[in-house]
Amino acid sequence: MKLNRGPRAPRRTLWQRLSAPFVEPYARYQHADILHAIRLGVAVVAALLFNKVSQLPHGEWTTITVFIILGLLQYQGAIYTKAKERVIGTLLGILVGLFLVWLSQGLGEYLGLYYVLIGLISGVIGYYAVKQLGYIGLLTGITMCMIISHTAGEIGVDGVYRALNVLIGTLIAVLATLILPLKSTLMWRFLLASNLEACGEIYVKVGSHIIDHTAASASDDDALSLHALPYRHHYTSPMIESEQTMSLDQGIPIAQDMVASLKQINKRLLASRPHLAATARESGIAKETLEHIQRTHRNLIGTVDLLLTAAPRLAEIPIDADNRELLTHYQHELTQAMQHMAAVLRSPNNELFRPITRIQVAEYPSVQQLTFEWQGYFWLTQNLQAQLQSLSELLQQTEPQWFAASGLRYQRREQRRIHAQGGESKLDL
């Protein structure tokens, strides 16, 4: 089963291939780890050069802050959130610390009360850090301790300089995100698009594996006597059998590249989860809606896994010509739907998600006459159809938000690039 993908885009020049990660968001997504390393290196060097020029005391806190904010975070939504929390926590810590330093100057012989007050404030900060403030509360306490931990006569000057360097480091980290920006909303879109496309490719191979072998090994007369075949249970997930070749009593073995592809799909599914919170902040989509999309995404992958599991056994069970033709059309339409959804998710244009398919298995009584295994396969395919329809509707409802959050510059640049390459053929499936 082959899909018409439309005319191919012209081959890229060497310069276009080398510059793609720097100008095209999708290529940037594919090389995110390398670009993150480049950005972090540039930010640290910029912080060191600033320290050298400014000669501010305790300048090491500038580079430390850059590493804390950028070290484990790649995407703008998460970085901005961390930077905002660090600024708020630092400013609150400065205010609380300076208040305590000022208070300590007039206590005289009642200095013991000063330490009691520090303990009480620290406890309150810790309580709210656990309850709701989180990182803000932690930074408030740390900055406060920087300022109050001073020697006589310094009035917390060292602590203030440290806090100032933290703010400068935060600013440098935020500015660094403008170098090769990686938006969580775009990354979430691209991960979902890659998984839909990969699921479509596996589904095509599963269908070809089954249809090709049943067409070669069965006749219509064989199909009429299918009810006499005993049911045999074979239900080992290909993820468990990934390192082994399926034996003949389990059916006709599947190609191991499908199992490897399924592993990559699961890796992308796990990689998409950390983007949900940042995508919700960038786009304004409710977290519950994003969780619903993620859950449907996960269920869809599970259904493809089950269809892959059924393939070896079904490849040796004949099916009549009419139902084989129905299955071929059904699989073709669902595969095209997955590829179309992936293309819309990657598109810089505000496209509509099309209906999945008009085929309804309930309208074909002949399916009810098939063996238990084949009925199960059609049932799983119906599930896949329902999951794709649900995912399509959720994405269509939220499209104005995630499309706007992807960035106007990205959309315009990609539109120009696609126009120069002769159109967006994958949307014409």
Side-chain angles (χ1 to χ4, degrees):
M1 182 177 9
K2 294 183 178 179
L3 292 175
N4 179 19
R5 295 178 181 266
R8 290 186 178 180
R11 290 191 65 181
R12 293 184 166 194
T13 64
L14 178 61
W15 169 249
Q16 287 174 323
R17 290 198 298 270
L18 292 175
S19 64
F22 299 95
V23 297
E24 298 174 17
Y26 184 65
R28 206 177 295 157
Y29 147 73
Q30 294 175 307
H31 302 88
D33 294 345
I34 295 172
L35 296 178
H36 170 67
I38 294 172
R39 188 171 61 185
L40 179 59
V42 170
V44 170
V45 170
L48 287 171
L49 290 175
F50 176 84
N51 292 338
K52 188 174 182 64
V53 172
S54 67
Q55 295 294 312
L56 286 174
H58 302 290
E60 69 276 3
W61 281 96
T62 305
T63 49
I64 289 171
T65 301
V66 168
F67 248 106
I68 289 174
I69 293 178
L70 292 183
L72 294 176
L73 300 175
Q74 293 175 280
Y75 305 101
Q76 281 181 306
I79 290 170
Y80 290 166
T81 299
K82 187 93 168 207
K84 181 181 71 175
E85 291 175 345
R86 195 162 184 86
V87 168
I88 293 173
T90 300
L91 292 176
L92 286 175
I94 290 173
L95 292 175
V96 174
L98 290 177
F99 168 74
L100 288 171
V101 169
W102 171 80
L103 192 64
S104 68
Q105 305 304 307
L107 286 177
E109 59 185 25
Y110 300 103
L111 200 58
L113 293 175
Y114 170 68
Y115 291 104
V116 172
L117 185 60
I118 290 174
L120 288 173
I121 292 175
S122 298
V124 170
I125 290 172
Y127 176 81
Y128 282 104
V130 171
K131 286 290 184 180
Q132 55 187 17
L133 291 179
Y135 192 61
I136 294 175
L138 180 65
L139 262 294
T140 300
I142 290 173
T143 306
M144 179 192 74
C145 291
M146 283 181 183
I147 293 174
I148 62 177
S149 301
H150 67 280
T151 58
E154 289 182 343
I155 317 298
V157 172
D158 279 356
V160 173
Y161 272 121
R162 291 184 189 123
L164 177 62
N165 281 303
V166 166
L167 295 176
I168 293 169
T170 302
L171 178 62
I172 292 173
V174 169
L175 291 175
T177 64
L178 302 177
I179 305 169
L180 312 175
L182 296 168
K183 293 181 74 70
S184 286
T185 302
L186 276 174
M187 299 306 113
W188 170 76
R189 284 173 60 180
F190 294 153
L191 286 166
L192 179 54
S194 294
N195 268 3
L196 283 167
E197 194 168 59
C199 284
E201 290 172 357
I202 289 180
Y203 192 47
V204 167
K205 292 178 181 179
V206 166
S208 298
H209 178 83
I210 294 172
I211 297 299
D212 292 350
H213 283 93
T214 54
S217 63
S219 65
D220 288 345
D221 290 336
D222 294 330
L224 294 175
S225 61
L226 286 178
H227 64 275
L229 291 175
Y231 168 69
R232 291 185 291 170
H233 181 73
H234 298 288
Y235 208 69
T236 304
S237 170
M239 298 303 294
I240 297 174
E241 295 285 338
S242 60
E243 303 301 327
Q244 303 174 3
T245 302
M246 294 186 177
S247 58
L248 290 177
D249 68 331
Q250 288 181 300
I252 299 173
I254 59 172
Q256 290 301 301
D257 66 319
M258 287 191 272
V259 177
S261 180
L262 191 60
K263 283 184 176 181
Q264 293 303 314
I265 289 171
N266 278 286
K267 285 182 180 179
R268 284 192 291 267
L269 174 66
L270 292 174
S272 67
R273 170 150 291 284
H275 292 290
L276 297 185
T279 298
R281 286 189 291 270
E282 290 176 2
S283 65
I285 301 172
K287 288 184 180 179
E288 294 76 12
T289 304
L290 285 170
E291 286 290 350
H292 191 181
I293 293 173
Q294 184 77 358
R295 195 160 52 246
T296 308
H297 179 190
R298 183 176 64 245
N299 292 342
L300 190 151
I301 293 169
T303 302
V304 171
D305 188 352
L306 291 174
L307 289 165
L308 184 57
T309 301
R313 174 70 179 115
L314 285 174
E316 63 180 7
I317 300 179
I319 184 173
D320 61 274
D322 289 341
N323 281 314
R324 185 187 298 119
E325 185 176 356
L326 168 62
L327 183 62
T328 300
H329 285 299
Y330 203 3
Q331 291 180 328
H332 181 70
E333 290 202 12
L334 293 185
T335 304
Q336 281 202 331
M338 283 185 265
Q339 294 201 344
H340 174 74
M341 289 169 68
V344 173
L345 280 165
R346 289 200 186 107
S347 173
N349 299 309
N350 197 0
E351 303 288 344
L352 291 175
F353 289 87
R354 297 175 186 169
I356 301 304
T357 178
R358 292 184 176 86
I359 295 177
Q360 298 295 329
V361 174
E363 297 176 0
Y364 296 87
S366 60
V367 175
Q368 305 301 320
Q369 307 303 316
L370 293 172
T371 60
F372 178 81
E373 293 94 336
W374 272 115
Q375 288 188 44
Y377 189 82
F378 272 98
W379 178 79
L380 285 173
T381 305
Q382 276 186 290
N383 272 0
L384 183 63
Q385 176 185 347
Q387 288 158 358
L388 286 171
Q389 188 62 52
S390 175
L391 184 59
S392 177
E393 290 170 359
L394 287 166
L395 291 172
Q396 187 65 67
Q397 290 167 9
T398 55
E399 184 179 29
Q401 293 161 289
W402 54 254
F403 182 76
S406 300
L408 187 61
R409 288 175 57 199
Y410 153 69
Q411 293 158 14
R412 288 176 175 170
R413 184 168 57 243
E414 286 294 278
Q415 286 165 3
R416 288 195 298 269
R417 184 179 66 82
I418 289 170
H419 179 73
Q421 291 183 354
E424 200 165 2
S425 59
K426 284 189 176 182
L427 287 171
D428 299 325
L429 286 169

